[in-house]
Structure formats: C-alpha cells, structure tokens
Amino acid sequence: MKMKKVPMRRCVGCREMKDKRELLRIVKNSDGDIFVDPTGKKNGRGAYICRNMDCFNQARRARSLNREFSCEIPDEIYEQIESQLEAYVGKK
C-alpha cells in the first residue's frame, strides 16, 4: 500500500514546517493584490501562515511577508489579513 505524501509548507511567522492544510495561504497575484486564499488554489505567489494570531503578529513585526513577496506591504493589507484571520480562527 502506497502512502500519499503530505505537502509541507513553512509558516512565515514561526518558520516551522507544517502540513499545508494546517496553514492559511496568503497570495500576491499578478496585479499585485495581496489577500487571504481560503481555498489554497488561487493563482499567484503564495506564503503560508499558521492559523493563530501569535504567528501573524510575529510575521508582521518581522515584516516576513515583505520579504516573501519582495515588496513593501502597507499596514492596510496587514489589517485586512488580520481581520480575515480573526474571522477564520473564530469559525473553528
């Protein structure tokens, strides 16, 4: 019996490798828009973050998403991601 390989991704906050399904994907598309991708299937450059506020705050302080996407990310984007993350964490 063949075991299916579990896709692993690194959280931009805590820098730990985790199962892709445990993480929330943040995408920068070709237009330069940055948003949360709950499906994990949208086109664009993806960065992953744990579904908890500690990792998000750590990533925000370290400006990890700026490095991942090679651009300056305005505070409004971080605030949008934060509110989407809070809504997502609230659903669980």
Side-chain angles (χ1 to χ4, degrees):
M1 193 160 90
K2 197 172 181 184
M3 291 276 294
K4 196 168 185 183
K5 192 168 172 255
V6 177
M8 301 293 279
R9 299 290 185 267
R10 176 174 280 122
C11 170
V12 294
C14 63
R15 314 291 296 157
E16 285 178 29
M17 292 296 282
K18 298 194 176 174
D19 181 341
K20 181 180 169 181
R21 289 169 298 206
E22 292 175 25
L23 301 170
L24 195 61
R25 185 168 186 248
I26 299 166
V27 177
K28 178 184 177 191
N29 66 15
S30 56
D31 297 333
D33 299 328
I34 297 168
F35 54 91
V36 173
D37 175 15
T39 64
K41 291 179 169 61
K42 293 212 173 21
N43 284 337
R45 173 89 172 103
Y48 293 82
I49 193 160
C50 293
R51 293 177 178 169
N52 69 49
M53 293 313 290
D54 294 339
C55 280
F56 172 78
N57 291 330
Q58 207 171 335
R60 189 175 186 170
R61 271 195 307 276
R63 305 302 249 169
S64 303
L65 290 174
N66 295 19
R67 277 196 303 282
E68 287 293 320
F69 295 136
S70 306
C71 70
E72 188 59 39
I73 296 175
D75 285 336
E76 304 90 73
I77 300 288
Y78 277 108
E79 284 156 20
Q80 283 175 7
I81 294 168
E82 184 175 17
S83 63
Q84 287 175 300
L85 188 59
E86 281 171 348
Y88 194 87
V89 171
K91 278 194 249 176
K92 281 189 92 183

